[in-house]
């Protein structure tokens, strides 16, 4: 099976260099590497003109729109491999990454998607905690990630993580990443929309922590600056999550999800109970998070109703 690796990048030439060097060290050579670069990203274009690709079959794709969704869809149009593996520019796949991926797709014709662990680095420290529940969507709409902490045997999951996910090209077909996802950079939950669509179409989605990459979370250049609160970023996150779940949950579960989201919520998107939980420690910030979360819920619901009316 031929393999293609797709990497969206923006203003991180040093991180991209580490990623490409890791692909050069794969035990199974890569057949096609697509790097999608924004037209205004002078730093990355300059780096690519100087990068010694050696035997790496490197192809660049220019994109003019902001956001990871536009970049991935532009790259999808150029994929020639039977297997598409996606990673971030701030990640470095393990040497056996592509070899393990190819073995999975060769052995199971019903496998549509495969993901694995991303070992997150914070300076000299690596997040080495462990979780058994990974990538699951609970019946009432709570999505559990934990891809960076997964341990144990390979298992079926509902959701993969963008830094480490692979797909059978036959399974993708005409499916594209959802352009309704909000945000000018990360567009949080874009991968949930994609993997849930594959699962609904009947394809198997597997998570194996041994299919691994090293992840060095780098600076973002949009409204979502990772651990710093930004009202617009939170509204976008909750909008995306709400729209995706309303489209993929059965009718009754949608109602349960909305009640749960408004009354309880999560540590990322507050409901009333989470607001009360964090109010003593976060004060006014907790109230801002609650209002932004409710606003995102409302906007996601409105988008869903408009699209389905």
């Amino acid at each position: 099976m031929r393999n293609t690796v797709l990497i969206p990048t923006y203003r991180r030439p040093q991180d991209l260099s580490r990623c490409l060097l890791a692909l050069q060290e794969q035990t199974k050579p890569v057949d096609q590497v697509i790097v999608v670069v924004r037209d205004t990203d002078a730093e990355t274009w300059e780096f690519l003109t100087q990068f010694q690709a050696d035997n790496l079959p490197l192809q660049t794709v220019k994109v003019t729109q902001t956001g990871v969704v536009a970049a991935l869809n532009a790259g999808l149009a150029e994929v020639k491999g039977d297997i598409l593996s996606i990673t971030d520019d701030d990640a470095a796949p393990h040497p056996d990454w592509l070899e393990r991926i190819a073995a999975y797709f060769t052995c199971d014709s019903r496998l549509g998607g495969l993901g694995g662990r991303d070992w997150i680095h914070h300076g000299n420290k690596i997040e080495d905690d462990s979780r058994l529940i990974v990538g699951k969507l609970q019946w009432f709409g709570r999505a559990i990630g934990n891809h960076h902490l997964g341990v144990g045997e390979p298992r079926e999951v509902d959701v993969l993580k963008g830094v480490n996910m692979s797909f059978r090209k036959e399974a993708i077909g005409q499916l594209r990443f959802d352009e309704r996802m909000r945000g000018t950079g990360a567009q949080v939950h874009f991968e949930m929309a994609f993997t849930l669509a594959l699962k609904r179409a009947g394809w198997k989605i597997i998570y194996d922590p041994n299919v691994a990459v090293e992840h060095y979370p780098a600076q973002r250049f949009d409204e979502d600056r990772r651990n710093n609160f930004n009202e617009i970023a939170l509204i976008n996150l909750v909008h995306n999550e709400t729209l995706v779940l309303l489209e993929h949950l059965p009718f009754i579960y949608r109602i349960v999800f909305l009640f749960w989201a408004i009354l309880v919520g999560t540590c990322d998107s507050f409901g009333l109970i989470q607001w009360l939980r964090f109010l003593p420690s976060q004060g006014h910030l907790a109230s801002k998070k609650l209002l932004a979360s409710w606003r995102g819920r409302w906007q996601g619901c409105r988008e869903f109703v408009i699209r389905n009316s």
Side-chain angles (χ1 to χ4, degrees):
M1 282 188 169
R2 297 171 300 165
N3 56 70
T4 295
V5 176
L6 175 55
I7 310 165
T9 188
Y10 183 61
R11 295 178 60 188
R12 297 171 174 173
Q14 291 184 332
D15 294 287
L16 178 60
S17 176
R18 179 179 54 226
C19 183
L20 294 176
L21 291 172
L23 292 177
Q24 288 180 330
E25 300 297 322
Q26 293 293 301
T27 55
K28 182 187 187 321
V30 59
D31 296 302
Q32 181 188 25
V33 178
I34 300 174
V35 178
V36 185
V37 190
R38 192 92 56 84
D39 59 339
T40 56
D41 186 357
E43 303 167 64
T44 302
W45 287 112
E46 182 180 358
F47 158 75
L48 289 170
T49 61
Q50 301 172 357
F51 179 73
Q52 299 296 318
D54 294 334
N55 295 322
L56 201 65
L58 184 62
Q59 176 183 346
T60 57
V61 173
K62 182 184 293 186
V63 65
T64 57
Q65 291 177 262
T66 61
V68 67
V69 167
L72 289 173
N73 284 337
L76 271 178
E78 302 297 326
V79 171
K80 296 181 174 62
D82 305 295
I83 304 168
L84 168 63
S85 298
I86 298 174
T87 191
D88 290 345
D89 53 7
D90 59 358
H94 286 193
D96 61 355
W97 188 58
L98 290 176
E99 184 176 358
R100 288 180 179 273
I101 290 168
Y104 263 102
F105 283 99
T106 300
C107 293
D108 189 347
S109 63
R110 293 308 303 160
L111 181 64
L114 173 69
R117 182 162 181 166
D118 59 309
W119 289 88
I120 295 183
H121 294 245
H122 299 286
N124 295 324
K125 183 180 179 182
I126 300 177
E127 289 193 36
D128 59 357
D129 204 350
S130 61
R131 296 288 187 277
L132 291 175
I133 301 177
V134 174
K136 298 302 290 184
L137 179 61
Q138 295 180 299
W139 68 271
F140 56 89
R142 180 190 177 204
I144 300 174
N146 292 335
H147 299 83
H148 64 301
L149 302 175
V151 294
E153 297 299 314
R155 61 273 204 184
E156 288 197 47
V157 296
D158 302 312
V159 180
L160 299 178
K161 186 176 180 179
V163 69
N164 185 4
M165 58 184 187
S166 300
F167 303 102
R168 189 184 299 275
K169 189 178 180 183
E170 177 191 352
I172 295 173
Q174 299 303 309
L175 180 65
R176 292 297 179 264
F177 290 94
D178 194 336
E179 295 182 351
R180 296 171 301 169
M181 297 292 99
R182 290 186 181 176
T184 59
Q187 294 179 281
V188 180
H189 295 308
F190 76 91
E191 59 267 82
M192 181 163 67
F194 196 81
T195 52
L196 287 178
L198 285 180
K199 196 162 181 97
R200 188 167 62 178
W203 292 95
K204 186 188 299 183
I205 309 293
I206 293 289
Y207 173 88
D208 182 351
N210 292 313
V211 180
V213 304
E214 301 295 320
H215 191 185
Y216 306 84
Q219 179 184 1
R220 287 175 174 169
F221 299 95
D222 63 354
E223 64 279 350
D224 184 1
R225 299 301 175 91
R226 296 194 187 275
N227 297 321
N228 295 322
F229 172 74
N230 179 284
E231 182 182 11
I232 299 301
L234 181 55
I235 291 172
N236 289 339
L237 178 154
V238 180
H239 164 275
N240 295 347
E241 178 188 59
T242 304
L243 179 59
V244 172
L245 292 177
L246 288 178
E247 292 200 333
H248 289 279
L249 289 172
F251 175 76
I252 297 299
Y253 291 174
R254 292 175 195 161
I255 306 301
V256 176
F257 160 65
L258 289 175
F259 273 104
W260 170 81
I262 293 169
L263 296 176
V264 182
T266 69
C267 294
D268 293 322
S269 48
F270 284 8
L272 275 174
I273 291 178
Q274 293 290 359
W275 170 69
L276 289 170
R277 175 189 173 194
F278 285 99
L279 185 61
S281 60
Q282 296 187 4
H284 183 58
L285 178 59
S287 298
K288 292 174 69 174
K289 288 181 178 180
L290 176 66
L291 293 176
S293 297
W294 279 355
R295 188 174 175 186
R297 294 290 178 213
W298 163 249
Q299 293 181 5
C301 289
R302 185 176 60 183
E303 178 93 8
F304 173 76
V305 170
I306 291 173
R307 293 283 180 168
N308 292 275
S309 59

